[in-house]
Amino acid sequence: MEKLVAITACPTGIAHTIMAAEALRRVAAMKGHDLRVETQGSEGVKTPLSDDDIAAASAVILAADIQVDESRFEGKPVTRVSTARAIRDTEAVLDAAVAAASGSAHAANGSAHAANGSARAAAPVASAPAPAAGAAAPELAASPAPVEKGLLVAVTACPTGIAHTFMAAEALTRAARAAGYEIRVETQGSVGAKNALTAEEIQKADAVIVGADTHVALDRFAGKRLLQTSVGEALKKADQVVTRALSLPAPEDAPDLGQQVAQAKAQLKDKQSGPYKHLLTGVSFMLPLVVAGGLIIALSFVFGIEAFKEPGTLPAALMQIGGQGAFTLMVPVLAGYIAYSIADRPGLTPGLVGGLLASQLNAGFLGGIVAGFLGGYVARWIRDTVRLPANLEGLKPVLVIPLLSTLVVGLLMIYVIGKPVSAIMTGLTDFLSGMGGTNAVALGALLGAMMAIDMGGPVNKAAYTFSVGLLASSTFTPMAATMAAGMVPPLGLALATVIARNRFTAQEREAGKAAAVLGAAFITEGAIPFAAQDPVRVIPAAVLGSAVTGALSMGLGCGLRAPHGGVFVLAIPNAVSPLGVYLLSIVAGTVVTALALMVLKRPVAQPAAPPPARP
């Protein structure tokens, strides 16, 4: 144990001064050192060091961003760091001070060690006795094989992401190492995620710890032992948190169809990268607004198609909520979360503002996509390029990045991007609105086939994103074709397991029941486990059935206002119209898929019946 003293100081003496002092005290106590800390700032000196404290100290730590008088520490080894370093690399700072103290002590005792060395050189060295004749030579002790350490992964996050986030990460790291585990900690703060966990690290981890006082997405941890706690508990009771995480029961090894589908969706999400991943992030956050807005607009039509035009009525209020509320936010949220996916939190402001400008300039969802990518990449470039002094670094996420990135995106949207994209969007909307006959059938068949060909993969999501984006322009027929076609693969497989039982194993027939529910809920991924077992036969059958459904839906002019929910939204009046032929198109595609499977698949060998018991 070493006796240490420290001074922390920043220009204001409020934030970094106190946080650095607290971090040094906490880590010193955990490592068994005696530390006295003096803080200096605009309000003067707090907890001043006494002459006795300084005299007893073996080393001094100066964690300061301003000039500090060092005259009273003459003759003491001094470790000088910034307050930011003391907050984030506390253990390393303390270790450096302890090493400096040890080096000073060794230098002071150098002559005594030399004298002792001479005396030891003159003294005889006793040798080990030789083994007796005929006795076996003693075996050399085998070096123990290195023990592979387990792995933990963790996420820490507090609302500001400055102090407690990094202190909790440090505490969890020490506690995990004390328990014999390696650990990787992702910190989420106001300037984005640092040390982001990879899919491989999560897969190898024995357990996951989330110490957060803000929202942390948990989808990527599906199937792992997961402990959720506050950032404060992760900081103050890190050893208990690690123990609790490791004592959680292991997930079950035999997943049912629903779990297989969840795992398949997680794997598809992990494979997403680059612009495609950013686009789907924006769509996923936009989707609830589109669903809620579309259904509320449909409810207003219950009272009559034009009833909302009467001011002060309930239909008018419903239209205001759905059309002027939820649908107005649709494009800004799309753009904001595309930018968020690219640049983390710094991208939100330019993305949201750019998306709102896209709506005002009639650039629609295409303008929102452009604004989102532009806002994200501009914010990320500013975040990674602009360098400020340590004591001004906190201004980047709240002033520098939002101001500069929003200014750049806003000016480009107004003067460069808005009008051309608006013209493209208007042309696309007019083309789709005037489409009929063979063209509509062909587009519906194409969208339907895209929904089934990879069942939740990039092609599926491209068709879905295209259809969802058109809802903001009051173009509803592509969305109807897309959702109907997406329901067909699992529904067709479920029907096939009933009418062609000899083509499926007993396990597949049982899974067919769950696939029916997933298909009815518009979860195309419900067909993935079947496709993985027999892709050559299942995928063509699914594509054929979905193409038929998409072609019928578009050709018959079916429109859908809510982009998700499957058959469960059809009970909402006017959510889809015309309802009867829309249901007919789903049934037709389901039957086509089932019949195609009957033709393509061969009967499977059934287990032989046990011989009759002898009398």
Side-chain angles (χ1 to χ4, degrees), residues 63-161:
D65 303 322
I66 58 176
Q67 186 65 35
V68 174
D69 181 14
E70 302 182 22
S71 59
R72 51 182 167 156
F73 305 124
E74 186 176 355
K76 301 284 184 182
V78 178
T79 301
R80 300 173 182 83
V81 296
S82 65
T83 54
R85 174 94 187 277
I87 293 170
R88 300 185 181 186
D89 299 323
T90 316
E91 186 172 9
V93 171
L94 280 166
D95 289 345
V98 171
S102 300
S104 177
H106 289 161
N109 294 328
S111 58
H113 282 233
N116 291 338
S118 299
R120 285 194 300 270
V125 179
S127 58
E139 294 184 1
L140 294 175
S143 299
V147 179
E148 184 177 353
K149 293 184 178 181
L151 176 66
L152 297 174
V153 295
V155 178
T156 62
C158 69
T160 60

Side-chain angles (χ1 to χ4, degrees), residues 195-266:
N195 303 317
L197 300 173
T198 66
E200 183 180 3
E201 289 168 340
I202 295 171
Q203 181 64 31
K204 291 180 179 179
D206 296 298
V208 180
I209 299 169
V210 176
D213 296 332
T214 61
H215 170 72
V216 173
L218 303 178
D219 297 350
R220 52 184 169 156
F221 304 128
K224 307 299 293 186
R225 293 190 291 184
L226 173 64
L227 176 66
Q228 291 181 261
T229 186
S230 67
V231 70
E233 187 173 21
L235 171 61
K236 298 175 183 177
K237 302 178 181 178
D239 52 346
Q240 297 179 23
V241 168
V242 169
T243 302
R244 283 163 49 201
L246 292 171
S247 63
L248 291 173
E252 296 182 5
D253 294 331
D256 58 19
L257 181 67
Q259 292 172 320
Q260 291 180 45
V261 170
Q263 292 171 3
K265 293 176 76 172

Side-chain angles (χ1 to χ4, degrees), residues 257 490 493-495 497 507-517 530:
L257 181 67
L493 280 158
L495 178 61
T497 60
Q507 183 179 4
E508 289 175 330
R509 292 197 298 270
E510 188 64 26
K513 300 174 184 177
V517 177
F530 295 91

Side-chain angles (χ1 to χ4, degrees), residues 605-613:
Q606 302 296 330

Side-chain angles (χ1 to χ4, degrees), residues 432-503:
L432 292 171
S433 299
M435 181 180 286
T438 304
N439 289 336
V441 170
L443 178 60
L446 175 62
L447 291 173
M450 290 174 69
M451 290 299 294
I453 196 165
D454 58 359
M455 303 175 188
V459 178
N460 171 288
K461 289 297 187 289
Y464 182 72
T465 301
F466 170 77
S467 303
V468 170
L470 291 171
L471 292 179
S473 304
S474 299
T475 305
F476 305 117
T477 51
M479 188 67 252
T482 298
M483 188 171 84
M487 297 164 60
V488 163
L491 289 176
L493 280 158
L495 178 61
T497 60
V498 175
I499 65 176
R501 295 174 60 84
N502 63 339
R503 264 72 169 176

Side-chain angles (χ1 to χ4, degrees), residues 535-546:
V536 175
R537 296 175 178 84
V538 170
I539 292 178
V543 169
L544 179 61
S546 293

